[in-house]
Amino acid sequence: MAKRWLSDISQVAEIIAAIAVVVSLVYVGQEVKRNTAAIQGASLQAIATSDSETLLTVAADASLSEVIRLGHDDPDLLNQSEKFRYTLFMRNFWLSFQNIYQQRELQLLDETVWQSYLTVICGMKSRTGVQKTWPEHSHILEDKFVATVEQCGSTPL
């Protein structure tokens, strides 16, 4: 009788333990979803802040705006100092967008958001001056990102 009682208690304990494991897994799954959403939100905010700072910097500096405008059309029209400024601006552009690409690869960025940025990248890559200066930047960028940029215009977005 005592043996049967211990066996029954053992079975009940196993059932309770199994239920506890399932409940714990559900809780962990919910926490992972919340954490992923928080990371995605922080990632988007960081991207938006960076974009805003860059755009405001260009807008506030008329000479930089002119350098970028001329550089996008034809960097050969720029003097040595202006070419340097244009190169730095474009290096920042490519590194920033590579970071966005990497966040997409890590699934921290929604695909629709990525498609918006890809449209910007491909629009920029279509500029004559950007095409001329692309080799100055592409060699330091991640191969998969370079391949993505180089597909701009050759495949539908």
Side-chain angles (χ1 to χ4, degrees), residues 130-141:
V130 175
Q131 289 175 15
K132 278 184 172 182
T133 60
W134 171 242
E136 296 175 31
H137 307 286
S138 62
H139 72 281
I140 65 147
L141 300 169

Side-chain angles (χ1 to χ4, degrees), residues 60-126:
D61 186 338
S63 68
L64 178 58
S65 296
E66 185 65 6
V67 164
I68 294 167
R69 187 186 69 73
L70 288 172
H72 284 351
D73 291 339
D74 185 358
D76 295 333
L77 299 174
L78 302 172
N79 66 37
Q80 188 175 3
S81 177
E82 292 168 335
K83 281 183 184 180
F84 183 69
R85 289 180 85 189
Y86 182 69
T87 298
L88 291 178
F89 175 82
M90 289 309 298
R91 180 65 51 91
N92 180 66
F93 174 86
W94 291 120
L95 290 172
S96 295
F97 278 87
Q98 177 178 258
N99 177 274
I100 293 167
Y101 172 83
Q102 290 167 333
Q103 290 184 44
R104 178 243 189 176
E105 291 295 296
L106 293 170
Q107 298 180 345
L108 298 175
L109 197 63
D110 184 78
E111 190 61 27
T112 57
V113 173
W114 166 246
Q115 287 302 316
S116 296
Y117 280 103
L118 185 57
T119 300
V120 172
I121 291 167
C122 290
M124 183 69 78
K125 183 69 169 50
S126 72

Side-chain angles (χ1 to χ4, degrees), residues 44-54:
L44 283 173
Q45 183 59 50
I47 291 168
T49 299
S50 176
D51 290 349
S52 179
E53 288 173 357
T54 299

